[in-house]
Amino acid sequence: MKDRVPVDFWFDAMCPWSWIASRWLIEASEVRPIEIRWHVMSWSVLQHGRDIPEEHQAIVDEGWGPARVTIAAEQRHGNKVLGPLYTAFGTRYQYQGRILDREAIIESLREADLPIDLADAADTEDYDAALWASHHDGMSRVGYEVGTPVIAIRGVAFFGPVISPIPRGEAAGTLYDGISALASVDGFFELKRSRTRPPLVD
């Protein structure tokens, strides 16, 4: 088998666009020689200190817990645990419509075969320095006028892809081929069009 291409992906546990893109990337890894390396970013960090609508503040407040737990898991058990833990969080938040409270976090840790005492990280700032560092590692590659997700192929990073619904099978591979081709062009920065549908996480 050909050597797998490392693809770095920065995710926010609660962002539906990040979730869709992550599921696409997993699909693509089944049909292309890709090694996914997961990284944490946070909409809560992104919005910290900003004047945002009141209805968004609840999402920002809720996002600190799972982001801190994910970083704590990586710090204690290595990068390899991020994919399964992110999937467990996303299953509950994106598909089941649950708040990622302590109960959901503990369930997710069990599903990812991680110690449940990691849930305590949700309520402490002990891992915030590492969280901010991971977030800014992703953002610094693409600029600070964008959000989540961020993808990097062979060291070239983009915001996105912003897609809906999730491409499956060979369609996922074709999208990866296109993004990989763009990453090979020095000086390519942006393609964009207005979104005409909501994030379809199913």
Side-chain angles (χ1 to χ4, degrees):
M1 179 181 289
K2 292 166 52 179
D3 290 340
R4 291 191 169 266
V5 175
V7 178
D8 294 281
F9 188 89
W10 282 261
F11 65 86
D12 175 276
M14 296 167 56
C15 174
W17 298 107
S18 178
W19 177 254
I20 292 170
S22 72
R23 300 310 97 177
W24 152 72
L25 191 57
I26 290 171
E27 288 278 329
S29 71
E30 296 295 322
V31 293
R32 297 293 186 273
I34 299 169
E35 176 195 354
I36 306 171
R37 300 189 300 201
W38 303 102
H39 308 278
V40 183
M41 64 188 307
S42 170
W43 202 67
S44 301
V45 170
L46 186 67
Q47 300 301 326
H48 182 70
R50 296 185 180 183
D51 185 16
I52 61 174
E54 184 176 346
E55 62 269 21
H56 290 172
Q57 189 61 53
I59 300 173
V60 169
D61 293 343
E62 183 186 341
W64 287 109
R68 287 166 170 163
V69 170
T70 308
I71 279 289
E74 181 182 31
Q75 292 277 296
R76 285 172 50 181
H77 299 282
N79 181 262
K80 67 183 182 300
V81 305
L82 291 188
L85 183 55
Y86 177 33
T87 293
F89 280 153
T91 298
R92 284 156 182 79
Y93 189 81
Q94 307 295 345
Y95 293 149
Q96 299 173 6
R98 296 173 59 186
I99 294 173
L100 293 179
D101 56 11
R102 185 174 178 85
E103 179 183 2
I105 287 172
I106 288 174
E107 286 180 15
S108 298
L109 289 166
R110 285 194 175 116
E111 183 176 308
D113 198 27
L114 288 166
I116 62 171
D117 69 327
L118 284 166
D120 295 339
D123 301 314
T124 177
E125 297 180 359
D126 290 353
Y127 295 94
D128 281 11
L131 172 59
W132 282 72
S134 180
H135 175 88
H136 286 299
D137 182 33
M139 294 294 291
S140 66
R141 298 166 187 251
V142 293
Y144 288 87
E145 70 278 7
V146 298
T148 176
V150 168
I151 188 172
I153 301 174
R154 295 184 298 275
V156 179
F158 300 112
F159 162 61
V162 177
I163 46 177
S164 179
I166 303 165
R168 304 289 186 182
E170 187 56 29
T174 299
L175 177 58
Y176 169 78
D177 293 341
I179 296 173
S180 180
L182 294 176
S184 71
V185 178
D186 180 50
F188 174 80
F189 296 105
E190 183 175 3
L191 281 174
K192 189 174 177 66
R193 65 174 177 166
S194 297
R195 294 196 294 265
T196 59
R197 67 180 64 153
L200 304 174
V201 298
D202 293 332

